[in-house]
Amino acid sequence: QGAAWCEPHAEHLKIAPRLPIAMVGELIRGARLVISNGGDTMLQALACKRPCVAVPIAGDQAYRIKRCVRGGLVARARLDAADLERVALRMLEAGGARAPLDENAGNPGSPAGTNGIDAGLAAIEKLARLDVLEAQRPARLGRDVAGAQAGAAPHMDFSAISAPRFLFLPVSGPHGMGEYARTIQIAQAAAARWPKAQIHFALSREAPYVIDAAFACTLLPSSPTFHTPEVIALIEEMRPHVVIFDNAGRTAQLRAAQRIGARVVYVSARARQRRRAFRLRWMSLIDEYWLAYPELLAGPLNALEKFKLRWMGRPLLRYLDVM
């Protein structure tokens, strides 16, 4: 918003340029105190077990912060410099907050957080049937060797095990980076587990972060949600085993993924996107629906959502907890 906005007004204030997601994570891990909004950054602070002051700056964040305050996980402040200073100094003088989402954090009986990365990878493995193929590998290898010894042509094909194809479609634009931060962590974990995996992102050119050069990327003028022809062409060309939409997507894009035999994961962190995920036509196109927060923050299913899930029998619902 202009040079004047970016000029430091205090001697010890440092304003960083765009940073890689991994560096942002390291800064959070090393911070004495994190001041964030009530979105994904707050959850990252909790995952890194850092004291956090949270300020709601969007309509869906006030409820989330209220739930965290009630659980003793964060302190709340108003979007006001004086109040932010007061709350932050109080926390620093008190030696910071208890470790968020630890076993001893929050009120007695508060649910313990689990690593959503682990749950996500296990789900991806089953969706791509990598667990089934890997289990069949020794038996198939034995049959193929025996066939080759008998003169039959070998037909071993384990490419799906060693090189699964994943396409990530996080919403992206000139503001915010929570969706990319979440999907890049999943992608990095997938690459560590399957080193030969083909991982591709579609992102906006307006994205306010440094894009991880380790993964192939298709840059679009704006968020993938608004570029259905390009996204469909990418799906048909890449033919991924699993497509992961994060707060993004159109019905035609989901249908294109289903049409080529891909399994579809839809991730949402916003109430509006949750309503979309529970539309019947979307439910028929989604294999798994991941709520990007623990149930403590995302809220339990309401009666209508439970009824739709029982009636449709899909998608499989997961709360991702801490990532």
Short mmCIF file of all heavy atoms in Angstrom, two decimals, residues 79-120:
data_model
loop_
_atom_site.label_atom_id
_atom_site.label_comp_id
_atom_site.label_asym_id
_atom_site.label_seq_id
_atom_site.Cartn_x
_atom_site.Cartn_y
_atom_site.Cartn_z
N LEU A 79 -8.39 -5.10 17.68
CA LEU A 79 -7.59 -4.57 16.57
C LEU A 79 -7.32 -3.09 16.85
O LEU A 79 -7.84 -2.18 16.21
CB LEU A 79 -8.32 -4.75 15.24
CG LEU A 79 -7.50 -4.46 13.97
CD1 LEU A 79 -6.26 -5.34 13.91
CD2 LEU A 79 -8.36 -4.67 12.73
N ASP A 80 -6.48 -2.89 17.85
CA ASP A 80 -6.18 -1.55 18.35
C ASP A 80 -4.76 -1.59 18.92
O ASP A 80 -4.42 -2.48 19.71
CB ASP A 80 -7.20 -1.16 19.43
CG ASP A 80 -6.82 0.12 20.13
OD1 ASP A 80 -7.05 1.19 19.57
OD2 ASP A 80 -6.28 0.03 21.26
N ALA A 81 -3.93 -0.66 18.53
CA ALA A 81 -2.51 -0.68 18.92
C ALA A 81 -2.33 -0.69 20.43
O ALA A 81 -1.52 -1.45 20.97
CB ALA A 81 -1.79 0.52 18.30
N ALA A 82 -3.09 0.15 21.14
CA ALA A 82 -2.93 0.23 22.59
C ALA A 82 -3.33 -1.08 23.26
O ALA A 82 -2.66 -1.55 24.19
CB ALA A 82 -3.77 1.39 23.13
N ASP A 83 -4.42 -1.68 22.79
CA ASP A 83 -4.86 -2.93 23.41
C ASP A 83 -3.90 -4.08 23.08
O ASP A 83 -3.60 -4.91 23.94
CB ASP A 83 -6.27 -3.28 22.93
CG ASP A 83 -6.91 -4.36 23.79
OD1 ASP A 83 -7.01 -4.17 25.01
OD2 ASP A 83 -7.28 -5.42 23.23
N LEU A 84 -3.40 -4.10 21.85
CA LEU A 84 -2.41 -5.11 21.47
C LEU A 84 -1.17 -5.00 22.36
O LEU A 84 -0.63 -6.00 22.84
CB LEU A 84 -2.01 -4.94 20.00
CG LEU A 84 -2.81 -5.72 18.96
CD1 LEU A 84 -2.41 -5.28 17.56
CD2 LEU A 84 -2.57 -7.21 19.12
N GLU A 85 -0.70 -3.76 22.57
CA GLU A 85 0.48 -3.55 23.41
C GLU A 85 0.21 -4.03 24.83
O GLU A 85 1.05 -4.71 25.44
CB GLU A 85 0.84 -2.07 23.41
CG GLU A 85 2.06 -1.75 24.28
CD GLU A 85 2.34 -0.25 24.32
OE1 GLU A 85 1.45 0.54 23.96
OE2 GLU A 85 3.45 0.11 24.74
N ARG A 86 -0.96 -3.70 25.36
CA ARG A 86 -1.29 -4.07 26.74
C ARG A 86 -1.31 -5.59 26.91
O ARG A 86 -0.70 -6.13 27.84
CB ARG A 86 -2.66 -3.48 27.10
CG ARG A 86 -3.14 -3.84 28.51
CD ARG A 86 -4.55 -3.32 28.74
NE ARG A 86 -5.51 -3.93 27.84
CZ ARG A 86 -6.05 -5.13 28.02
NH1 ARG A 86 -5.70 -5.87 29.08
NH2 ARG A 86 -6.92 -5.62 27.15
N VAL A 87 -1.97 -6.30 26.00
CA VAL A 87 -2.10 -7.75 26.12
C VAL A 87 -0.75 -8.43 25.90
O VAL A 87 -0.37 -9.36 26.62
CB VAL A 87 -3.15 -8.29 25.14
CG1 VAL A 87 -3.21 -9.82 25.20
CG2 VAL A 87 -4.52 -7.70 25.44
N ALA A 88 0.00 -7.95 24.90
CA ALA A 88 1.30 -8.56 24.60
C ALA A 88 2.27 -8.38 25.77
O ALA A 88 2.97 -9.33 26.17
CB ALA A 88 1.88 -7.95 23.33
N LEU A 89 2.33 -7.19 26.34
CA LEU A 89 3.23 -6.95 27.48
C LEU A 89 2.82 -7.77 28.68
O LEU A 89 3.67 -8.30 29.41
CB LEU A 89 3.23 -5.46 27.83
CG LEU A 89 4.00 -4.54 26.87
CD1 LEU A 89 3.83 -3.08 27.26
CD2 LEU A 89 5.48 -4.92 26.84
N ARG A 90 1.52 -7.92 28.89
CA ARG A 90 1.05 -8.72 30.02
C ARG A 90 1.51 -10.17 29.88
O ARG A 90 1.96 -10.79 30.84
CB ARG A 90 -0.48 -8.66 30.09
CG ARG A 90 -1.08 -9.38 31.30
CD ARG A 90 -2.59 -9.40 31.19
NE ARG A 90 -3.01 -10.29 30.11
CZ ARG A 90 -4.19 -10.22 29.51
NH1 ARG A 90 -5.06 -9.28 29.86
NH2 ARG A 90 -4.50 -11.06 28.56
N MET A 91 1.43 -10.70 28.66
CA MET A 91 1.85 -12.08 28.44
C MET A 91 3.36 -12.24 28.59
O MET A 91 3.85 -13.21 29.17
CB MET A 91 1.40 -12.56 27.05
CG MET A 91 -0.10 -12.73 26.92
SD MET A 91 -0.55 -13.55 25.40
CE MET A 91 0.02 -15.21 25.72
N LEU A 92 4.12 -11.27 28.06
CA LEU A 92 5.57 -11.35 28.16
C LEU A 92 6.04 -11.24 29.61
O LEU A 92 6.94 -11.95 30.05
CB LEU A 92 6.22 -10.27 27.30
CG LEU A 92 6.11 -10.46 25.78
CD1 LEU A 92 6.59 -9.21 25.06
CD2 LEU A 92 6.93 -11.67 25.34
N GLU A 93 5.42 -10.34 30.35
CA GLU A 93 5.81 -10.16 31.76
C GLU A 93 5.44 -11.37 32.60
O GLU A 93 6.08 -11.66 33.61
CB GLU A 93 5.14 -8.90 32.32
CG GLU A 93 5.71 -7.61 31.74
CD GLU A 93 4.87 -6.40 32.07
OE1 GLU A 93 3.78 -6.59 32.69
OE2 GLU A 93 5.27 -5.28 31.70
N ALA A 94 4.40 -12.09 32.17
CA ALA A 94 3.98 -13.29 32.90
C ALA A 94 4.78 -14.51 32.48
O ALA A 94 4.51 -15.62 32.95
CB ALA A 94 2.49 -13.53 32.68
N GLY A 95 5.74 -14.32 31.58
CA GLY A 95 6.54 -15.44 31.12
C GLY A 95 5.91 -16.21 30.00
O GLY A 95 6.26 -17.38 29.76
N GLY A 96 4.97 -15.60 29.30
CA GLY A 96 4.35 -16.27 28.17
C GLY A 96 3.19 -17.14 28.60
O GLY A 96 2.83 -17.24 29.77
N ALA A 97 2.60 -17.80 27.63
CA ALA A 97 1.45 -18.67 27.88
C ALA A 97 1.90 -20.11 28.00
O ALA A 97 3.01 -20.46 27.65
CB ALA A 97 0.43 -18.52 26.75
N ARG A 98 1.02 -20.93 28.48
CA ARG A 98 1.31 -22.37 28.53
C ARG A 98 1.44 -22.89 27.11
O ARG A 98 0.97 -22.26 26.17
CB ARG A 98 0.20 -23.09 29.28
CG ARG A 98 -1.12 -23.10 28.51
CD ARG A 98 -2.27 -23.45 29.42
NE ARG A 98 -2.68 -22.28 30.20
CZ ARG A 98 -3.67 -22.30 31.07
NH1 ARG A 98 -4.31 -23.40 31.32
NH2 ARG A 98 -3.99 -21.21 31.73
N ALA A 99 2.06 -24.02 26.92
CA ALA A 99 2.26 -24.57 25.58
C ALA A 99 0.93 -24.98 24.97
O ALA A 99 0.26 -25.85 25.50
CB ALA A 99 3.19 -25.77 25.63
N PRO A 100 0.50 -24.35 23.89
CA PRO A 100 -0.80 -24.66 23.31
C PRO A 100 -0.90 -26.11 22.86
O PRO A 100 0.04 -26.69 22.33
CB PRO A 100 -0.89 -23.72 22.12
CG PRO A 100 0.10 -22.65 22.40
CD PRO A 100 1.19 -23.31 23.18
N LEU A 101 -2.07 -26.67 23.05
CA LEU A 101 -2.41 -28.00 22.58
C LEU A 101 -1.51 -29.09 23.14
O LEU A 101 -1.45 -30.18 22.63
CB LEU A 101 -2.41 -28.06 21.04
CG LEU A 101 -3.46 -27.19 20.37
CD1 LEU A 101 -3.43 -27.42 18.87
CD2 LEU A 101 -4.85 -27.44 20.90
N ASP A 102 -0.76 -28.78 24.22
CA ASP A 102 -0.04 -29.83 24.92
C ASP A 102 -1.03 -30.64 25.75
O ASP A 102 -2.17 -30.24 25.94
CB ASP A 102 1.00 -29.22 25.87
CG ASP A 102 2.38 -29.21 25.21
OD1 ASP A 102 2.52 -29.83 24.16
OD2 ASP A 102 3.29 -28.58 25.78
N GLU A 103 -0.58 -31.72 26.30
CA GLU A 103 -1.46 -32.55 27.13
C GLU A 103 -1.96 -31.76 28.34
O GLU A 103 -3.08 -31.98 28.80
CB GLU A 103 -0.72 -33.80 27.59
CG GLU A 103 -0.44 -34.78 26.47
CD GLU A 103 0.26 -36.02 26.98
OE1 GLU A 103 0.69 -36.02 28.15
OE2 GLU A 103 0.36 -36.98 26.22
N ASN A 104 -1.15 -30.86 28.84
CA ASN A 104 -1.53 -30.12 30.04
C ASN A 104 -2.16 -28.77 29.74
O ASN A 104 -2.46 -28.02 30.66
CB ASN A 104 -0.29 -29.91 30.93
CG ASN A 104 0.31 -31.22 31.38
OD1 ASN A 104 -0.41 -32.17 31.63
ND2 ASN A 104 1.63 -31.27 31.45
N ALA A 105 -2.35 -28.46 28.45
CA ALA A 105 -2.87 -27.15 28.10
C ALA A 105 -4.38 -27.14 28.18
O ALA A 105 -5.05 -28.15 28.06
CB ALA A 105 -2.42 -26.75 26.71
N GLY A 106 -4.91 -25.92 28.36
CA GLY A 106 -6.35 -25.77 28.32
C GLY A 106 -7.01 -26.28 29.58
O GLY A 106 -6.40 -26.58 30.59
N ASN A 107 -8.32 -26.36 29.51
CA ASN A 107 -9.09 -26.83 30.65
C ASN A 107 -9.03 -28.34 30.75
O ASN A 107 -8.80 -29.03 29.76
CB ASN A 107 -10.54 -26.37 30.49
CG ASN A 107 -10.66 -24.86 30.50
OD1 ASN A 107 -9.93 -24.18 31.22
ND2 ASN A 107 -11.56 -24.33 29.68
N PRO A 108 -9.24 -28.87 31.95
CA PRO A 108 -9.27 -30.33 32.08
C PRO A 108 -10.31 -30.93 31.14
O PRO A 108 -11.41 -30.42 31.00
CB PRO A 108 -9.66 -30.54 33.56
CG PRO A 108 -9.22 -29.28 34.24
CD PRO A 108 -9.41 -28.19 33.24
N GLY A 109 -9.93 -31.99 30.47
CA GLY A 109 -10.86 -32.62 29.54
C GLY A 109 -10.77 -32.08 28.12
O GLY A 109 -11.46 -32.57 27.23
N SER A 110 -9.95 -31.03 27.90
CA SER A 110 -9.79 -30.52 26.55
C SER A 110 -9.16 -31.58 25.66
O SER A 110 -8.24 -32.28 26.09
CB SER A 110 -8.91 -29.27 26.54
OG SER A 110 -9.55 -28.22 27.21
N PRO A 111 -9.64 -31.71 24.42
CA PRO A 111 -9.08 -32.74 23.55
C PRO A 111 -7.64 -32.44 23.19
O PRO A 111 -7.26 -31.30 22.98
CB PRO A 111 -9.98 -32.67 22.31
CG PRO A 111 -10.55 -31.29 22.33
CD PRO A 111 -10.68 -30.92 23.77
N ALA A 112 -6.80 -33.47 23.17
CA ALA A 112 -5.41 -33.30 22.77
C ALA A 112 -5.33 -33.18 21.26
O ALA A 112 -6.06 -33.84 20.54
CB ALA A 112 -4.58 -34.49 23.26
N GLY A 113 -4.44 -32.33 20.77
CA GLY A 113 -4.28 -32.17 19.33
C GLY A 113 -3.47 -33.31 18.74
O GLY A 113 -2.58 -33.86 19.39
N THR A 114 -3.78 -33.67 17.53
CA THR A 114 -3.00 -34.68 16.82
C THR A 114 -2.44 -34.05 15.56
O THR A 114 -2.91 -33.01 15.11
CB THR A 114 -3.87 -35.89 16.45
OG1 THR A 114 -4.98 -35.44 15.64
CG2 THR A 114 -4.42 -36.58 17.69
N ASN A 115 -1.43 -34.69 15.00
CA ASN A 115 -0.77 -34.16 13.83
C ASN A 115 -1.60 -34.45 12.58
O ASN A 115 -1.71 -35.59 12.15
CB ASN A 115 0.62 -34.79 13.69
CG ASN A 115 1.45 -34.08 12.63
OD1 ASN A 115 0.92 -33.37 11.78
ND2 ASN A 115 2.75 -34.25 12.69
N GLY A 116 -2.18 -33.40 12.00
CA GLY A 116 -3.02 -33.57 10.82
C GLY A 116 -2.26 -34.04 9.60
O GLY A 116 -2.84 -34.62 8.69
N ILE A 117 -0.94 -33.79 9.56
CA ILE A 117 -0.12 -34.28 8.45
C ILE A 117 -0.17 -35.79 8.38
O ILE A 117 -0.34 -36.38 7.31
CB ILE A 117 1.34 -33.80 8.59
CG1 ILE A 117 1.43 -32.29 8.40
CG2 ILE A 117 2.23 -34.52 7.59
CD1 ILE A 117 1.25 -31.82 6.98
N ASP A 118 -0.02 -36.43 9.53
CA ASP A 118 -0.05 -37.90 9.56
C ASP A 118 -1.39 -38.43 9.06
O ASP A 118 -1.45 -39.38 8.27
CB ASP A 118 0.22 -38.41 10.98
CG ASP A 118 1.62 -38.06 11.47
OD1 ASP A 118 2.50 -37.84 10.61
OD2 ASP A 118 1.83 -38.01 12.69
N ALA A 119 -2.47 -37.83 9.54
CA ALA A 119 -3.80 -38.26 9.11
C ALA A 119 -4.00 -38.02 7.62
O ALA A 119 -4.56 -38.86 6.91
CB ALA A 119 -4.87 -37.53 9.92
N GLY A 120 -3.51 -36.87 7.14
CA GLY A 120 -3.65 -36.57 5.72
C GLY A 120 -2.90 -37.53 4.83
O GLY A 120 -3.42 -37.99 3.80
#
